[in-house]
Amino acid sequence: MLRRSLGQVSHGTGTTPASVTSLLQGLEARGFITRTSSPHDSRVKVVRVTPEGEQIIAGFDEAMRAAFEAFYAPLSEAEQDQLLALLERLVENVEVPSRPGGPPGDPRRRPL
C-alpha cells in the first residue's frame, strides 16, 4: 500500500497542505474516499478509496486514452510523432520559475 504524508503529497504536487486537505474534503464529500484517525497517532488521518472511488479510478485510463485519441485524430501518425519530438525539445529547455509563497522547503520558493 502506498503511504504518503500530507506534506509529502503537497510537496510532490507543488501545492500547499491546505490545498491537499481541501481536495480530500471534496473527494470525501463525493463519497470517493474515507478519512479516519490513525489508531497509532490521532494527528494522522488514514485515507482509503471507497468502492465508488475505485470505479472512478478504473474508468480513468480508458477515458484519458479516448480523449487523447480524439485530440490527436486530425494529425497523421507522422505529424503526431513530429509534434511529440518538438514538444520534448521544448520541455528539455524549460526552467521551472520560482514561485513566491510555495510550500516551505520547496526549491522553487523565492525568499520574500
Side-chain angles (χ1 to χ4, degrees):
M1 173 190 273
L2 180 65
R3 292 179 180 218
R4 296 286 184 264
S5 71
L6 185 73
Q8 289 170 321
V9 172
S10 67
H11 181 76
T13 58
T15 60
T16 65
S19 294
V20 174
T21 298
S22 178
L23 173 66
L24 292 177
Q25 288 170 341
L27 292 171
E28 186 175 34
R30 290 172 181 84
F32 298 139
I33 64 166
T34 60
R35 293 185 302 161
T36 57
S37 294
S38 167
H40 307 293
D41 186 342
S42 61
R43 298 169 298 171
V44 174
K45 295 290 185 185
V46 176
V47 178
R48 289 191 172 80
V49 179
T50 64
E52 292 83 3
E54 291 286 350
Q55 288 178 343
I56 296 295
I57 293 168
F60 184 78
D61 286 341
E62 179 59 28
M64 288 302 296
R65 187 192 60 72
F68 275 110
E69 283 183 9
F71 182 77
Y72 291 108
L75 301 177
S76 70
E77 190 172 329
E79 290 170 326
Q80 290 177 30
D81 291 342
Q82 182 181 19
L83 176 61
L84 180 60
L86 291 170
L87 291 172
E88 286 174 343
R89 277 182 46 201
L90 289 172
V91 169
E92 288 173 2
N93 292 300
V94 170
E95 290 186 33
V96 177
S98 296
R99 292 184 320 142
D106 185 338
R108 297 171 292 181
R109 182 183 172 111
R110 281 192 296 217
L112 299 177

Short mmCIF file of all heavy atoms in Angstrom, two decimals, residues 98-103 105-112:
data_model
loop_
_atom_site.label_atom_id
_atom_site.label_comp_id
_atom_site.label_asym_id
_atom_site.label_seq_id
_atom_site.Cartn_x
_atom_site.Cartn_y
_atom_site.Cartn_z
N SER A 98 10.73 30.26 -10.08
CA SER A 98 10.47 30.28 -8.65
C SER A 98 9.07 30.80 -8.42
O SER A 98 8.57 31.64 -9.16
CB SER A 98 11.47 31.18 -7.94
OG SER A 98 12.76 30.66 -8.08
N ARG A 99 8.43 30.26 -7.39
CA ARG A 99 7.09 30.71 -7.04
C ARG A 99 7.13 31.32 -5.65
O ARG A 99 7.45 30.62 -4.70
CB ARG A 99 6.11 29.53 -7.00
CG ARG A 99 5.82 28.92 -8.31
CD ARG A 99 4.76 27.84 -8.18
NE ARG A 99 4.96 27.03 -6.98
CZ ARG A 99 3.97 26.57 -6.22
NH1 ARG A 99 2.74 26.81 -6.52
NH2 ARG A 99 4.22 25.84 -5.17
N PRO A 100 6.78 32.58 -5.54
CA PRO A 100 6.69 33.12 -4.18
C PRO A 100 5.54 32.46 -3.46
O PRO A 100 4.51 32.16 -4.06
CB PRO A 100 6.42 34.61 -4.40
CG PRO A 100 5.92 34.74 -5.80
CD PRO A 100 6.45 33.54 -6.56
N GLY A 101 5.74 32.17 -2.20
CA GLY A 101 4.65 31.60 -1.41
C GLY A 101 4.43 30.12 -1.62
O GLY A 101 3.41 29.60 -1.22
N GLY A 102 5.35 29.42 -2.27
CA GLY A 102 5.20 27.98 -2.43
C GLY A 102 5.36 27.28 -1.10
O GLY A 102 5.66 27.90 -0.08
N PRO A 103 5.17 25.96 -1.08
CA PRO A 103 5.31 25.22 0.17
C PRO A 103 6.69 25.40 0.78
O PRO A 103 7.68 25.49 0.06
CB PRO A 103 5.10 23.76 -0.24
CG PRO A 103 4.39 23.81 -1.55
CD PRO A 103 4.82 25.09 -2.20
N GLY A 105 10.26 24.79 2.09
CA GLY A 105 11.22 23.78 1.67
C GLY A 105 11.18 23.51 0.19
O GLY A 105 12.00 22.76 -0.33
N ASP A 106 10.24 24.10 -0.54
CA ASP A 106 10.14 23.92 -1.98
C ASP A 106 11.31 24.65 -2.63
O ASP A 106 11.48 25.86 -2.41
CB ASP A 106 8.81 24.48 -2.48
CG ASP A 106 8.56 24.23 -3.95
OD1 ASP A 106 9.52 24.00 -4.71
OD2 ASP A 106 7.39 24.26 -4.36
N PRO A 107 12.14 23.96 -3.42
CA PRO A 107 13.30 24.62 -4.02
C PRO A 107 12.90 25.75 -4.98
O PRO A 107 13.70 26.61 -5.30
CB PRO A 107 14.04 23.50 -4.75
CG PRO A 107 13.05 22.41 -4.91
CD PRO A 107 12.06 22.56 -3.79
N ARG A 108 11.64 25.76 -5.43
CA ARG A 108 11.18 26.82 -6.34
C ARG A 108 10.72 28.04 -5.58
O ARG A 108 10.43 29.07 -6.17
CB ARG A 108 10.03 26.29 -7.20
CG ARG A 108 10.45 25.13 -8.09
CD ARG A 108 9.27 24.50 -8.75
NE ARG A 108 8.49 23.83 -7.70
CZ ARG A 108 7.37 23.15 -7.92
NH1 ARG A 108 6.89 23.07 -9.13
NH2 ARG A 108 6.73 22.56 -6.95
N ARG A 109 10.65 27.96 -4.27
CA ARG A 109 10.16 29.07 -3.45
C ARG A 109 11.21 30.18 -3.41
O ARG A 109 12.38 29.93 -3.13
CB ARG A 109 9.86 28.58 -2.05
CG ARG A 109 9.29 29.63 -1.14
CD ARG A 109 9.09 29.06 0.25
NE ARG A 109 8.72 30.08 1.17
CZ ARG A 109 7.54 30.20 1.73
NH1 ARG A 109 6.63 29.31 1.48
NH2 ARG A 109 7.26 31.17 2.55
N ARG A 110 10.79 31.39 -3.68
CA ARG A 110 11.68 32.55 -3.60
C ARG A 110 11.58 33.16 -2.21
O ARG A 110 10.49 33.24 -1.65
CB ARG A 110 11.26 33.62 -4.60
CG ARG A 110 11.71 33.33 -6.01
CD ARG A 110 11.51 34.56 -6.85
NE ARG A 110 10.09 34.89 -6.93
CZ ARG A 110 9.50 35.36 -7.99
NH1 ARG A 110 10.18 35.60 -9.07
NH2 ARG A 110 8.22 35.63 -7.99
N PRO A 111 12.69 33.64 -1.69
CA PRO A 111 12.60 34.34 -0.40
C PRO A 111 11.78 35.62 -0.58
O PRO A 111 11.85 36.27 -1.60
CB PRO A 111 14.05 34.69 -0.05
CG PRO A 111 14.90 34.08 -1.09
CD PRO A 111 14.03 33.55 -2.18
N LEU A 112 11.00 35.94 0.43
CA LEU A 112 10.16 37.16 0.35
C LEU A 112 10.95 38.38 0.74
O LEU A 112 11.87 38.40 1.42
CB LEU A 112 8.94 37.00 1.26
CG LEU A 112 8.03 35.85 0.89
CD1 LEU A 112 6.88 35.75 1.90
CD2 LEU A 112 7.45 36.04 -0.50
#
